[in-house]
Structures are given as structure tokens and as C-alpha cells.
């Protein structure tokens, strides 16, 4: 038997095949692009996700005989995206992605609506789904009038796989339409966002069966038996499942396009005033909190693009010895920021540049700026009473030992690098598929990975980085005043 976990990412899709005892059999990847028609906009055509999934499944069939014995599939997807379908289930317009900030006015208005924070458990961020629909209503009324269903990216792939409109709790918690504590759509939140319950998909837990694979897809992919499709998860909840972050005290640091600090919780403890996210986990009776920065490896990739280098070349040039904080300061707000500022308008900046500033100085500044942005999230956890002493590091940026040494020191937290850490969300999705098929208790499946390296903070540099972090914190309001002197 085998299980398929799909990680529907912002820049590409990864399909991971695991055995019935949870061992990785193999994986394939497909990439696609986002469109940025205007500053702050980010969109994708859902047909690209479907094509990537189909190509990945066909390649898995050719490379791994175990694929023919597939028993269940689960999709983890980038959260908050608004995929709009008409009454014929046709896509109305490109999906507006999580890192799209056009709906900042609608988000602010919705966030100020009485009861919204209390019911949803969260600030209404511009990247959330509900303000996107209000933006469509205000700017594309002809499209808004055609909306029969709104699906998140993972739910859209669930629809493609099963023919049914179904979504899981963890992904749906990032819409501002779900009561995170009740784990159900809220009529009051839907009404506040000018939406209806019939426009929402059916809800299931991420580890529960959501449907079965369409017969035509099963035949195309060479699968004879009926295949279960699990509810799936938002990408960060799936990553938590992939590294066994299920119970109170478990957590991870994700260095991907965005940067995430996540802590599992055994209850629902919303803290919206701190800009912490409080979402349902992908298994029943569990929640999680996270701080999110919008441009983590995105900041490094941006520098790589403008210097015509690869990210690995930039970080590799720094060597292996952690250096004290540099003179150049970088604010990593290339697409605005979530935790703790909830500021869609702020943009990044360098300061402290001189004629002697070299490429390595810029690289160090970018890595330090991202580390300081993650420290902002850690501070919000501390203010809400959650203590974090160690985190598992996952995501593409975790391949840089220098960066992990830096982050461990800035956060004063031990970072554990797991074996096969790059499979986080895809592995978590595959585990959810296995639970949906077998009915096993989540704690028997969502196990912690083997740790290959623990990176401790550099005690001799703690004071220097603490001092530099205080400068970083003071820079945000001053730079914002320069960029937007009217206070807009």
C-alpha cells in the first residue's frame, strides 16, 4: 500500500509517495509562476495546479511501482487564496493568492466590524480570503455576481480529485469566515463579508475522508482500486503534521517564501491584538498559533535576482563562522508584513550603506533582517504567555547552516534540523492520507523526525544581536513615516 501527499506551494507542486509504514518512497516536483500585474498583486491560474498534479502523478506511476497500490491522497495547500467558481464550476478569474495585499482597505474595514475578531480569533489580514471577496465585490462586481463557490487552493484540488466541494478546518481557519473555536462556518462572519453559507465548501477534519478519487483520474493514473481523498490541510498545519508538532510545546520554524514560527496548542487561545494567528490544526481538538513574516527566503531570492547570483552562492560566500551583526540594516518588508505590524503598505529598505559596502554585507543584512523579523514573532509569543525553547527548522532556507546559526542566536532558541526536513508539508499531507485510510489515532502516525543536527545559540554574540534587534525594532516606525509621511 502507498499514500500520496501533495504540497501545493506558491512556486510549485511537490508530490510525495510514502509506504504503509510511513517511509518515503519517492517524490517529484513541478513548478509554475505567479502573475504580478500591479504592485502588491499576486495571482495564479488554477489550471496550472491541475496540470502540475497530473504530470506529477503520471511521473510517479512511471517511476514507482508502489503508486499502483495507492490507497489515499491528501492535499496541503498555500492558504487564504480565493478561487472563484461559477454555477458551472468554471473558474471565474485567476486565484488571488495569500501574498496579495490589494484588499488592505477591505481588510481594515472588516477587522473594525464588531465581533469579527472575537468570532474568527484573528485580525483580518489583507491576505485573508474574506477581504479578497470584498475587493472583488467593489472592483469586479460582474465577477462577484457570478460566484457560486469560493474554494481555497487545496480545496480546489480536492474538487478536481473528487468532484465535491470540500475543505478542511485548518485551511478554512484563514478565511475570516470560520469560527476557529467552534470549527464551523459562522453565519455572522459570512454576513459581515457579504457571503452566504451555500457559497462555502463542506467542512471535514484534515485527517478524515473527504471523498474518493474520480474514476477517470484513477484510470488515467493506472490505479485499480478506490482511493480515499482526505480533507487535507493548510500548508503550515501539514508541515506541523510532517514533523510531529501535535501537542502543547511542539513547534517549528519554517524558512520558506514566508517565514513562520508555529506552536501547537491543546486548546483555542486566540490573541488577535498581538497579530498572532490562531488556527485549527489538521486533527480534531487541536489548534496552533503562529507568527508570520511575508518575505523570508523571498528576501534572499530577491537579492539573488538583482545580483545575478543564486541564493546558495550568496550564503555560501559567508562561510561557516557566524559573524557579529553588520553595519547595514535591512527591513524585510518587500510585500508588507503581518506579525506584528499587520501593515500591507510598508516596503523594505536598506540603511547604513557606504562606499565600502560589498555583496557579502548585503547578504548578511538580508539574513539578519529576516532573523529579526522572526524575532518579532517570537516576542509576540512571549507576550501571550507561550514560551519557546527549541524549534524544528524546515523549509528551503534551513539548508543554510549559517542562516540557522544566525537565527538560533537572534532568537536565543535551539534549532533542530531534521532528516528529510524539506518534505515537511508533503509528508504531513501523506500522513493525513494514511490516517484517513486506516483510522489510526493521529499520535500513532504524526511522529517526530530523526534529528540530524542541533544548532545552539552563540552565547558570545547574544548581546550584540540583542542590541542590533532593538535598532531594527526602532527602524520600522521611522521608515514607515518616511515612506508614508501622511500616516496612510
Amino acid at each position: 500500500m502507498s499514500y500520496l501527499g501533495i504540497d501545493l506551494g506558491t512556486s510549485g507542486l511537490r508530490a510525495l509517495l510514502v509506504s504503509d509504514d510511513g517511509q518515503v518512497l519517492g517524490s517529484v516536483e513541478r513548478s509554475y509562476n505567479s502573475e504580478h500585474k500591479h504592485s502588491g498583486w499576486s495571482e495564479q491560474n488554477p489550471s496550472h495546479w491541475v496540470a502540475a498534479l497530473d504530470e506529477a502523478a503520471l511521473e510517479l506511476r512511471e517511476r514507482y511501482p508502489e503508486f499502483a497500490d495507492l490507497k489515499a491522497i491528501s492535499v496541503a495547500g498555500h492558504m487564504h487564496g480565493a478561487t472563484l467558481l461559477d454555477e458551472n464550476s468554471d473558474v471565474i478569474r485567476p486565484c488571488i493568492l495569500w501574498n496579495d495585499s490589494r484588499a488592505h482597505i477591505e481588510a481594515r474595514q472588516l477587522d473594525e466590524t464588531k465581533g469579527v475578531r472575537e468570532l474568527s480569533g484573528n485580525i483580518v489580514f489583507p491576505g485573508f480570503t474574506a477581504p479578497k471577496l470584498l475587493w472583488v465585490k467593489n472592483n469586479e462586481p460582474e465577477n462577484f455576481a457570478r460566484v457560486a463557490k469560493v474554494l481555497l487552493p487545496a480545496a480546489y484540488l480536492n474538487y478536481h480529485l473528487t468532484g465535491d466541494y470540500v475543505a478542511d478546518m485548518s485551511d478554512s481557519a484563514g478565511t475570516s469566515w470560520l469560527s476557529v473555536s467552534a470549527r464551523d462556518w459562522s453565519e455572522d462572519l459570512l454576513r459581515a463579508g457579504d457571503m452566504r453559507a451555500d457559497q462555502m465548501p463542506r467542512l471535514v477534519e484534515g485527517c478524515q475522508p473527504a471523498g474518493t478519487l474520480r474514476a477517470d483520474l484513477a484510470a488515467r493514473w493506472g490505479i485499480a482500486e478506490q482511493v480515499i481523498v482526505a480533507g487535507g490541510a493548510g500548508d503550515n498545519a501539514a508541515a506541523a503534521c510532517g514533523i510531529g508538532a501535535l501537542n502543547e510545546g511542539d513547534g517549528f520554524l519554517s524558512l520558506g517564501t514566508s517565514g513562520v514560527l508555529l506552536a501547537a496548542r491543546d486548546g483555542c487561545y486566540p490573541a488577535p491584538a498581538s497579530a498572532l494567528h490562531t488556527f485549527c490544526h489538521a486533527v480534531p481538538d487541536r489548534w496552533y498559533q503562529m507568527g508570520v513574516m511575508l518575505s523570508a527566503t523571498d528576501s534572499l531570492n530577491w537579492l539573488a535576482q538583482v545580483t545575478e547570483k543564486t541564493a546558495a552562492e550568496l550564503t555560501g560566500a559567508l562561510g561557516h563562522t557566524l559573524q557579529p551583526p553588520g553595519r547595514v540594516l535591512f527591513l524585510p518588508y518587500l510585500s508588507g508584513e503581518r506579525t506584528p505590524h499587520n501593515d500591507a503598505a510598508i516596503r523594505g529598505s536598506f540603511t547604513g550603506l557606504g562606499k565600502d559596502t560589498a555583496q557579502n554585507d548585503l547578504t548578511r543584512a538580508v539574513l539578519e533582517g529576516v532573523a529579526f523579523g522572526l524575532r518579532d514573532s517570537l516576542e509576540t509569543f512571549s507576550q501571550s504567555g507561550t514560551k519557546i525553547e527549541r524549534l524544528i527548522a524546515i523549509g528551503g532556507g534551513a539548508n543554510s547552516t549559517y542562516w540557522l546559526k544566525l537565527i538560533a542566536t537572534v532568537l536565543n532558541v535551539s534549532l533542530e534540523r531534521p532528516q528529510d526536513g524539506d518534505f515537511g508539508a508533503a509528508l504531513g499531507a501523506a500522513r493525513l492520507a494514511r490516517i484517513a485510510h486506516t483510522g489510526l489515532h493521529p499520535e500513532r502516525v504524526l511522529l517526530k523526525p530523526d534529528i540530524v543536527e542541533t544548532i545552539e545559540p552563540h552565547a558570545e554574540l547574544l548581546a550584540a544581536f540583542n542590541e542590533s534587534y532593538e535598532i531594527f525594532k526602532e527602524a520600522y516606525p521611522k521608515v514607515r513615516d518616511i515612506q508614508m509621511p501622511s500616516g496612510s
Side-chain angles (χ1 to χ4, degrees), residues 4 6 13 15 30 48-58 73 75 157 160-161 221:
L4 180 62
I6 299 162
L13 178 144
R30 291 293 185 274
H48 296 166
W49 311 334
V50 171
L53 173 58
D54 189 60
E55 291 176 9
L58 293 175
I73 303 172
V75 181
L157 281 192
H160 171 70
L161 292 168
W221 295 350

Side-chain angles (χ1 to χ4, degrees), residues 245-309:
L246 181 62
N247 298 310
E248 191 82 20
D250 298 333
F252 71 75
L253 157 72
S254 175
L255 271 179
T257 302
S258 60
V260 175
L261 287 183
L262 181 146
R265 305 303 306 267
D266 58 7
C268 185
Y269 307 109
S274 68
L276 276 181
H277 301 54
T278 303
F279 291 156
C280 305
H281 211 318
V283 297
D285 303 319
R286 293 287 192 280
W287 287 259
Y288 68 92
Q289 288 180 306
M290 65 180 182
V292 177
M293 62 179 302
L294 293 177
S295 299
T297 62
D298 236 14
S299 294
L300 182 61
N301 291 336
W302 164 79
L303 183 64
Q305 181 180 8
V306 298
T307 57
E308 298 184 345
K309 302 285 186 179

Side-chain angles (χ1 to χ4, degrees), residues 296-382:
T297 62
D298 236 14
S299 294
L300 182 61
N301 291 336
W302 164 79
L303 183 64
Q305 181 180 8
V306 298
T307 57
E308 298 184 345
K309 302 285 186 179
T310 67
E313 287 172 337
L314 290 175
T315 57
L318 300 180
H320 299 290
T321 302
L322 180 61
Q323 303 175 51
R327 182 186 67 195
V328 180
L329 181 69
F330 174 69
L331 300 187
Y333 308 133
L334 302 183
S335 300
E337 191 56 297
R338 282 201 190 173
T339 311
H341 303 304
N342 185 27
D343 189 342
I346 188 69
R347 288 297 179 264
S349 68
F350 281 110
T351 186
L353 300 175
K355 292 180 67 175
D356 58 342
T357 300
Q359 178 179 286
N360 281 359
D361 299 311
L362 298 180
T363 302
R364 285 172 57 199
V366 167
L367 299 187
E368 289 170 10
V370 171
F372 293 145
L374 293 169
R375 171 78 175 267
D376 276 343
S377 287
L378 184 71
E379 295 292 316
T380 62
F381 274 107
S382 298

Side-chain angles (χ1 to χ4, degrees), residues 10 35 40-44 49 78-84 92-111 124-141 143-145 147 150-153 171 174-177 189 192-195 200 277 279 294 335 338 344:
T10 307
E35 294 184 1
W41 286 34
S42 185
E43 299 180 340
Q44 282 178 346
W49 311 334
H78 48 87
M79 297 178 68
H80 315 309
T83 311
L84 313 183
I92 295 172
R93 67 173 322 286
C95 176
I96 307 176
L97 300 185
W98 63 273
N99 54 352
D100 187 295
S101 59
R102 76 183 73 178
H104 59 93
I105 294 174
E106 290 81 2
R108 183 173 64 250
Q109 293 170 344
L110 193 56
D111 187 56
V124 182
F125 291 93
F128 280 16
T129 321
K132 292 182 172 73
L133 267 294
L134 290 175
W135 183 93
V136 173
K137 177 185 177 183
N138 293 334
N139 295 274
E140 301 175 357
N143 286 334
F144 186 81
V147 175
V150 180
L151 299 181
L152 299 160
D171 210 9
T175 60
S176 293
W177 294 320
L189 289 174
D194 287 330
M195 301 300 293
M200 300 295 110
H277 301 54
F279 291 156
L294 293 177
S335 300
R338 282 201 190 173

